Amino acid sequence: MNIIKKRQHNDTAAFFMPFSMVFFAWFLYYLGRFAMLLVDFSRADTPVRWYSINDGVMGGLSASSLRLSPEGFGVFCGHLSRENGGGFASVYLEFPPTDVSAFTGIEIELSMPQRSFKLNLKDRNCRDYLYQAALTMPAPLIRGGSGQANDDANEDINAAAFREKGAAEGGRWLRCRLPFAHFKAMRRGMPVQARALDLTALTELALVAAGAPEGDFSLRLRSIGLYRD
């Protein structure tokens, strides 16, 4: 009797297994259509792939680094100073040309920061310029906000909102979305006329701290990926 029951159980499992595999494959395909992970900050080797570019290249005193917390998230941290004409700190990640044209933009999972930050992108054709958008707090944390990049005219307002809300909600993890359409071509901090970002060959991204306020900064991150509406 036990042998018969075991055989029936095995037959049932064998019957449902193909359906389970098909469902799992469909789920991965469905998920891939709407999301793609670029950086997983829980990986121990993630920080070594990043390098710093700070205002020291122009005589400034700012500093930055990307490190891995024992708790399994990344930390972009450093000190921002406007002395000697400086005022920016950044960390960059390079990767082989990647086609991201099927996606709407960048999605970053982060802990509520206490200042504003920016994200830079480059494609394989970039030389002395890049594409930049500001990280802003997801709605409704900024009244009327969209969780997306805002105009430069709102940057000071957003920075103040970051400090106020960030201090109160520093432990909360959020997802911030930056549509590719919001990235503007920049050269040395100034807007320039340039062709559109080539989404078929993305090669580089960077996290940037710039502008007010000066002093120490820290941004906790879990992941950087792509999203699709």
Side-chain angles (χ1 to χ4, degrees), residues 31-54:
L31 185 64
R33 290 179 57 207
F34 295 94
M36 175 179 172
L37 189 64
L38 290 176
V39 184
D40 179 2
F41 287 99
S42 68
R43 290 176 53 91
D45 62 341
T46 295
V48 300
R49 300 168 54 202
W50 295 72
Y51 62 92
S52 299
I53 297 182
N54 304 313

Side-chain angles (χ1 to χ4, degrees), residues 35-41 43 46 49-50 93 95 98 100 105-107 121 180 202 205 223-226:
M36 175 179 172
L37 189 64
L38 290 176
V39 184
D40 179 2
F41 287 99
R43 290 176 53 91
T46 295
R49 300 168 54 202
W50 295 72
L93 174 67
F95 41 85
T98 303
V100 299
I106 302 290
E107 181 177 85
L121 297 178
F180 290 127
L202 198 67
L205 64 83
S223 65
I224 300 177
L226 304 166

Side-chain angles (χ1 to χ4, degrees), residues 39-218:
V39 184
D40 179 2
F41 287 99
S42 68
R43 290 176 53 91
D45 62 341
T46 295
V48 300
R49 300 168 54 202
W50 295 72
Y51 62 92
S52 299
I53 297 182
N54 304 313
D55 56 21
V57 298
M58 51 190 287
L61 302 177
S62 300
S64 67
S65 64
L66 183 74
R67 60 180 177 83
L68 185 66
S69 166
E71 298 178 34
F73 54 81
V75 183
F76 170 42
C77 57
H79 182 84
L80 196 65
S81 171
R82 291 185 175 181
E83 291 188 39
N84 298 344
F88 76 89
S90 61
V91 288
Y92 276 78
L93 174 67
E94 296 179 347
F95 41 85
T98 303
D99 187 351
V100 299
S101 58
F103 298 91
T104 305
I106 302 290
E107 181 177 85
I108 304 178
E109 187 176 8
L110 49 79
S111 181
M112 177 61 67
Q114 296 185 22
R115 60 158 297 126
S116 57
F117 291 88
K118 298 178 182 180
L119 185 71
N120 291 348
L121 297 178
K122 286 187 176 182
D123 61 36
R124 62 183 171 189
N125 299 310
C126 286
R127 295 295 182 265
D128 61 343
Y129 62 93
L130 49 82
Y131 299 86
Q132 188 176 85
L135 290 175
T136 60
M137 291 186 297
L141 296 176
I142 293 180
R143 185 173 298 175
S146 62
Q148 299 174 348
N150 289 321
D151 295 335
D152 293 338
N154 296 325
E155 185 172 336
D156 291 339
I157 297 175
N158 290 334
F162 265 106
R163 292 194 295 273
E164 179 182 350
K165 290 294 185 180
E169 306 187 39
R172 181 180 177 187
W173 289 98
L174 304 166
R175 293 184 183 274
C176 180
R177 288 185 167 184
L178 300 171
F180 290 127
H182 287 199
F183 283 81
K184 300 177 181 179
M186 307 285 288
R187 179 187 291 119
R188 298 176 183 175
M190 299 297 293
V192 296
Q193 294 294 326
R195 53 169 180 73
L197 177 65
D198 184 359
L199 297 177
T200 66
L202 198 67
T203 60
E204 196 169 332
L205 64 83
L207 297 165
V208 183
E214 295 182 74
D216 294 338
F217 65 85
S218 178

